[in-house]
Amino acid sequence: MQSFEIDKTDLLRIKAALESDDAELEIVLQNYHASEIAILFEQLPQEAKERIINILPTDIASEVISEMDEEHHPEELLINLHPEKRSEIVEELDYDDATDIISQLDEEQQHEILRDIDQEDASSIRALLSYDEDTAGGLMNSEIIKVNINLDKKGALDEIIHQSEEMEELYTIYVVDDRDILKGILSIKTVIKAKADALVSDLVQTNFVYVKADVDQEEVARLISQYNLTSIPVVDGTMKLLGRVTVDDIIDVMEEENTEDILKISGVSEDEELSGNWQDAVKSRLPWLVINLGTAFLAASIIRDFDSTVAKLSVISAYMTIIAGMGGNAATQALAVTVRRISLSDLTDKQAYNTVLKEFLVGMINGGANGLIVFIVAYFYDANPMLGLVLFLAMTGNLIIAGLTGASIPLILKRVGIDPAVASSIIITTFTDCIGFLLPLWLATKLLLHQ
């Protein structure tokens, strides 16, 4: 099955059905998966979304709302529904999905929704709302299958069958004691293959991976990826079992974190929605551009200090823009690799040192190679071997500095508690621009004009 992309034909088909009666619209909607309808919602007005949700069966409607991107505001769609339909959808949602959507509403609207649904569901959602959304507690689903460590095989199977009736996926079975303290995990395969008189205490796997409720979502994603898990249990400080985070939630987290890092490195606020309007984009980007303008003035001041060199050797001005641009590209490469390494794991001192050393060597080799090309161009095109030497040294030096700053700046920022993805690009751009102008101008002054 191929991934679904919005097609003009699909949109025309849905819009034509919207102009017809509900029966015709329902027939057309049956041709689409819930996730596909969620994608189509991106191009439909609010009134059309509400009509479609009201027509769909509750289980499909809840899946559509849970599949909607956060930036398309599923919470607004949910709060505008009739209270009875809204309650049915919320009760059908997994607790973690319901919590994610309801958390985007104000307190009064949250209370309105939770007041109308089953009190057991409301209690579970309220508990999840108390956690930060970027932590394991904010990600977890409290719907789990757990068995007491004192049960035998038959008792465990009875519990698994009973608890799994309301669950769509059966991942891992959690083993707890009488106080709900997590003692280990079980696979359904282990239980089924066990002898009839086997006890859960004999089958339980006590060496397992877990996370505390306040652990950051990036660490949860790293653990699930590292240990190839389908789910990971979430516990409190006393090891009491609270819930589980599943791999489907982690896929969303990884996409969210990657998007966030890309936007930060590009100098775009993470608050800017990818499909937002131009006013939001200007508000998000203008402050960073103003900061960049300030650093550009700093680079320009270096040129002013060497105005006599530029006047006497005008050709240097053409080459120094190339050197500065190459430095910026090289620094961006080093920055992207380093930020990615930091996001995957906390680097030890030795790993950090090796990262900086590697980028130094890469910068030196790449700088030398590109510097040689510029030397050849200056030698044959400008018939000036000394100019070629100046450009070779400047290019090599700037790419070495680009590699060093691209690797070291994010590591330093991380150590002092500043998000490296946010501040690194501004600092590195300043370095590479300033050095990219300073090196060729200073070398030209010393080697060409003071001969």
Side-chain angles (χ1 to χ4, degrees), residues 46-93:
Q46 188 73 7
E47 299 78 13
K49 297 176 187 177
E50 292 177 19
R51 183 183 170 196
I52 289 173
I53 288 295
N54 281 309
I55 289 174
L56 291 170
T58 301
D59 58 335
I60 303 298
S62 65
E63 190 174 351
V64 170
I65 288 180
S66 69
E67 290 288 342
M68 289 177 65
D69 285 341
E70 184 178 318
E71 63 182 81
H72 292 106
H73 303 291
E75 74 281 359
E76 293 181 4
L77 176 56
L78 185 66
I79 197 66
N80 289 330
L81 296 175
H82 185 277
E84 183 177 348
K85 180 72 172 182
R86 183 176 63 205
S87 296
E88 291 175 357
I89 289 174
V90 173
E91 290 175 358
E92 185 69 28
L93 287 166

Side-chain angles (χ1 to χ4, degrees), residues 52-294:
I52 289 173
I53 288 295
N54 281 309
I55 289 174
L56 291 170
T58 301
D59 58 335
I60 303 298
S62 65
E63 190 174 351
V64 170
I65 288 180
S66 69
E67 290 288 342
M68 289 177 65
D69 285 341
E70 184 178 318
E71 63 182 81
H72 292 106
H73 303 291
E75 74 281 359
E76 293 181 4
L77 176 56
L78 185 66
I79 197 66
N80 289 330
L81 296 175
H82 185 277
E84 183 177 348
K85 180 72 172 182
R86 183 176 63 205
S87 296
E88 291 175 357
I89 289 174
V90 173
E91 290 175 358
E92 185 69 28
L93 287 166
D94 288 338
Y95 288 148
D96 56 338
D97 291 331
T99 303
D100 289 341
I101 295 170
I102 294 173
S103 67
Q104 302 304 312
L105 299 168
D106 60 45
E107 288 188 15
E108 184 178 339
Q109 292 172 325
Q110 291 180 15
H111 177 72
E112 179 185 341
I113 291 176
L114 296 177
R115 180 191 60 205
D116 295 336
I117 66 174
D118 178 80
Q119 287 310 298
E120 183 180 346
D121 292 336
S123 177
S124 296
I125 293 172
R126 284 193 185 96
L128 293 178
L129 283 169
S130 65
Y131 297 104
D132 190 303
E133 65 177 348
D134 294 332
T135 63
L139 283 177
M140 74 178 178
N141 190 342
S142 55
E143 291 178 302
I144 52 178
I145 295 179
K146 58 184 179 181
V147 297
N148 193 286
I149 195 168
N150 299 314
L151 292 176
D152 58 14
K153 175 180 177 176
K154 182 180 182 306
L157 282 173
D158 289 342
E159 278 295 315
I160 293 169
I161 293 170
H162 172 69
Q163 294 179 37
S164 64
E165 288 178 357
E166 299 297 324
M167 298 182 66
E168 292 184 8
E169 300 95 3
L170 176 57
Y171 291 105
T172 304
I173 303 155
Y174 302 107
V175 179
V176 297
D177 64 11
D178 296 333
R179 295 181 296 122
D180 255 5
I181 302 299
L182 183 61
K183 294 298 182 180
I185 60 174
L186 270 179
S187 69
I188 187 66
K189 179 180 178 181
T190 300
V191 178
I192 292 173
K193 292 181 66 176
K195 295 180 180 180
D197 59 348
L199 299 174
V200 171
S201 57
D202 297 326
L203 304 176
V204 63
Q205 180 182 334
T206 56
N207 183 21
F208 61 95
V209 182
Y210 65 90
V211 291
K212 300 288 182 66
D214 59 354
V215 169
D216 186 84
Q217 62 181 11
E218 287 192 68
E219 175 65 11
V220 181
R222 188 184 69 80
L223 288 172
I224 285 184
S225 174
Q226 179 178 344
Y227 292 100
N228 297 316
L229 305 174
T230 53
S231 68
I232 190 168
V234 182
V235 299
D236 65 11
T238 65
M239 286 298 291
K240 182 177 180 179
L241 181 61
L242 301 174
R244 60 177 177 146
V245 177
T246 54
V247 68
D248 58 315
D249 296 314
I250 291 305
I251 292 173
D252 294 336
V253 168
M254 294 174 72
E255 180 180 348
E256 175 189 327
E257 294 289 347
N258 288 338
T259 300
E260 182 180 311
D261 285 345
I262 290 170
L263 292 177
K264 285 178 179 178
I265 290 175
S266 303
V268 178
S269 170
E270 61 187 279
D271 295 327
E272 181 181 332
E273 296 179 352
L274 297 181
S275 60
N277 56 39
W278 66 267
Q279 295 99 326
D280 293 333
V282 170
K283 184 179 178 181
S284 168
R285 302 179 198 179
L286 184 57
W288 293 104
L289 290 175
V290 171
I291 294 173
N292 274 327
L293 180 61

